[in-house]
Amino acid sequence: MIKISASGAKRIFLLASLTFTMASCSTQKVIEKDFEVAQKQYTVLLNNSKDLTAFPRSIYPDGTMKTTDVWDWTGGFFPGGLWYIYEYTQKPEWKAAAKQWTEALEAGKFLTQHHDVGFVMYCSYGNAIRFEKDPQKIKEYQDILIQSAESALTRYDEKVGLIKSWNPKMSWDKKTLWQYPVIIDNMMNLELLFYVSKLTGNPKYKNAAISHATKTMQNHFRADYSTYHVVDYDEKTGKVLHQQTNQGYADNSTWSRGQGWAIYGFTLMYRETQNPEFLAAAEKAADFFINHPNLPKDKIPYWDFNANQEGYTPEWIYPEYKKLDYIPRDASAGALVTSALLELSTFSKSKGETYFKVAEEMLQSLSNKPYLAEEGTNLGFILKHSVGSIPHKSEIDVPLIYADYYFLEALLRYQKLKEQ
């Protein structure tokens, strides 16, 4: 949500680090160019997406569209991206498309199978409320978000003090059964709870969010403020049982998008609470990311900061991965962190300028080859070179709908900051 307080692959990425800097092109021209690309690409994406029960997510290896239903965690990003394009262009056709795809998600208000109801419903309906003028329609959307928050709280246990991310799940070691797994991604679902608390005047939603973030701050960070992906808890006592990974390289490695979720999540926690501990957590997580020796020159991270390094042993490894002659980047992590750093720059007194500068560099990288798609390609997705889950052999070096969402959000945040 937009809120601001105050081999060949190797060669391509090497060239990317040499692209012109933001200073060589005015802010407005960069933003105009990117939204022009976004409009052209999403026109293609809309033309490829006629079934309102099939939400665009990615591209399969055979080049066909990968879609998901309302119960997947990614459904809200396509309508959310359409709302961002409308926010920039103010063209009624984009509002109409955004509204149509948002309302196609209504059943998601009852999503209780996993924790991601916030992603699904707030990225869509939360944005819709910002632009809807009809009081009756606003009330309808607000009621949908209230039910969505109620659904989120069905996975909250006061004894543990956290929202359970997944149902019991086996780890990659094939012997550890996670009973109450909580993943760092879950920080992103807390914004919905704060919104509904303010809307209803009921503190139970925000209290659960604060408890969840506090426990996550205590148990998901290592000493250097890198993050574990998964922390498993004893559901009777709340004791930490396991700290492992599901989508990262190894249990002791740092999955780049997971680090991004932490930066973004604790930044929004500070926005909503003004608790300096949450700001400190966001800053330290950001510092780990931007100062890491394995962060490439163009600032778009590898899918895991420790991929293929000594001292990090994956339990999921398969032959096809070993045959890759490069380490895939993750533009979705890059877009997510860019957006997060822009907001964090407005809160951080001592490091705000640094965060803004790094975000600007990252935005410049994403705005050019090899990440920005050429018109008419990429099945209409805006960004290329993202990673869903390499351990699951899923979505490796492909476009991802949430990469587009956070890229568009970052552009809008950047524009607003430059206009201040």
Side-chain angles (χ1 to χ4, degrees):
M1 302 298 296
I2 297 289
K3 288 188 181 179
I4 296 178
S5 72
S7 92
K10 294 178 184 174
R11 199 159 49 250
I12 290 171
F13 285 115
L14 181 60
L15 289 172
S17 69
L18 301 176
T19 54
F20 62 89
T21 62
M22 192 67 84
S24 69
C25 189
S26 74
T27 300
Q28 195 55 42
K29 284 185 178 178
V30 169
I31 295 169
E32 283 178 6
K33 172 185 73 72
D34 288 348
F35 270 101
E36 184 176 344
V37 170
Q39 289 180 80
K40 290 176 179 177
Q41 288 299 95
Y42 269 41
T43 297
V44 173
L45 197 52
L46 282 168
N47 289 336
N48 288 332
S49 306
K50 299 299 185 184
D51 181 354
L52 289 172
T53 67
F55 298 86
R57 173 167 169 155
S58 185
I59 297 177
Y60 284 116
D62 66 1
T64 58
M65 178 81 72
K66 180 177 183 178
T67 62
T68 56
D69 62 19
V70 68
W71 309 113
D72 180 64
W73 75 278
T74 65
F77 294 116
F78 182 48
L82 293 169
W83 282 117
Y84 285 154
I85 294 175
Y86 170 70
E87 180 170 2
Y88 179 80
T89 66
Q90 294 297 298
K91 293 179 180 177
E93 60 265 33
W94 291 109
K95 183 177 183 179
K99 193 169 182 176
Q100 183 182 43
W101 280 93
T102 295
E103 293 182 351
L105 280 168
E106 182 176 354
K109 66 187 177 184
F110 296 118
L111 196 161
T112 59
Q113 302 94 311
H114 53 76
H115 64 113
D116 283 318
V117 65
F119 271 129
V120 177
M121 304 306 287
Y122 199 62
C123 292
S124 54
Y125 282 94
N127 276 305
I129 287 169
R130 297 194 297 126
F131 301 109
E132 183 55 59
K133 304 237 184 321
D134 179 355
Q136 185 174 347
K137 187 62 75 170
I138 291 172
K139 177 65 165 54
E140 177 186 323
Y141 290 172
Q142 289 174 335
D143 287 345
I144 286 170
L145 289 183
I146 292 170
Q147 176 55 55
S148 299
E150 287 292 329
S151 294
L153 290 191
T154 65
R155 302 189 67 85
Y156 179 75
D157 187 323
E158 288 189 356
K159 296 192 301 293
V160 184
L162 292 137
I163 297 168
K164 187 178 185 179
S165 297
W166 299 321
N167 296 333
K169 178 183 176 74
M170 191 68 71
S171 75
W172 285 112
D173 63 20
K174 304 285 197 258
K175 57 189 178 185
T176 304
L177 180 65
W178 296 328
Q179 295 289 346
Y180 200 105
V182 176
I183 61 176
I184 192 65
D185 321 36
N186 211 337
M187 289 294 300
M188 302 294 287
N189 292 295
L190 305 183
E191 192 169 16
L192 166 68
L193 300 181
F194 281 104
Y195 174 80
V196 172
S197 258
K198 285 179 275 192
L199 181 64
T200 62
N202 190 331
K204 71 175 183 178
Y205 307 102
K206 74 174 181 180
N207 289 344
I210 292 169
S211 175
H212 182 97
T214 302
K215 292 289 182 69
T216 298
M217 185 168 59
Q218 292 168 352
N219 299 320
H220 264 84
F221 286 117
R222 304 183 182 101
D224 61 0
Y225 275 80
S226 63
T227 50
Y228 293 103
H229 182 201
V230 184
V231 177
D232 180 40
Y233 294 85
D234 185 311
E235 55 191 341
K236 294 180 180 178
T237 66
K239 177 184 176 183
V240 173
L241 299 177
H242 309 100
Q243 293 166 308
Q244 295 179 273
T245 196
N246 188 58
Q247 287 169 260
Y249 185 71
D251 289 342
N252 60 333
S253 73
T254 303
W255 176 47
S256 63
R257 193 164 67 248
Q259 194 71 14
W261 296 138
I263 299 167
Y264 196 117
F266 283 100
T267 299
L268 78 83
M269 285 301 303
Y270 178 71
R271 180 216 304 151
E272 298 295 340
T273 67
Q274 298 299 297
N275 182 338
E277 291 185 0
F278 292 142
L279 177 60
E283 289 177 327
K284 290 174 183 177
D287 292 345
F288 176 90
F289 190 103
I290 67 177
N291 296 320
H292 200 284
N294 291 338
L295 185 66
K297 276 190 175 182
D298 66 4
K299 303 286 195 291
I300 307 305
Y302 299 111
W303 71 279
D304 189 293
F305 280 102
N306 308 111
N308 300 10
Q309 291 185 355
E310 290 186 13
Y312 300 88
T313 305
E315 293 172 315
W316 52 266
I317 206 72
Y318 48 83
E320 294 91 336
Y321 180 78
K322 290 183 177 180
K323 290 177 183 176
L324 284 179
D325 65 351
Y326 70 104
I327 302 175
R329 302 291 190 91
D330 187 3
S332 75
L336 164 69
V337 171
T338 301
S339 186
L341 288 176
L342 286 168
E343 181 170 22
L344 183 57
S345 75
T346 68
F347 298 135
S348 179
K349 292 189 171 82
S350 61
K351 302 175 183 178
E353 188 176 340
T354 297
Y355 296 146
F356 182 83
K357 182 177 181 296
V358 172
E360 196 171 47
E361 292 174 19
M362 296 176 77
L363 195 59
Q364 181 61 49
S365 294
L366 294 170
S367 296
N368 288 281
K369 293 180 180 180
Y371 305 103
L372 195 69
E374 294 183 10
E375 181 185 343
T377 68
N378 217 31
L379 286 190
F381 293 95
I382 301 167
L383 293 182
K384 302 160 67 176
H385 303 301
S386 289
V387 168
S389 179
I390 284 183
H392 294 89
K393 301 185 185 181
S394 175
E395 300 169 335
I396 302 172
D397 203 352
V398 293
L400 288 169
I401 193 66
Y402 45 93
D404 288 0
Y405 177 87
Y406 289 109
F407 176 60
L408 295 171
E409 182 179 78
L411 286 169
L412 289 167
R413 284 181 166 178
Y414 182 65
Q415 181 184 45
K416 289 180 180 181
L417 287 173
K418 293 295 282 188
E419 289 175 349
Q420 286 181 357

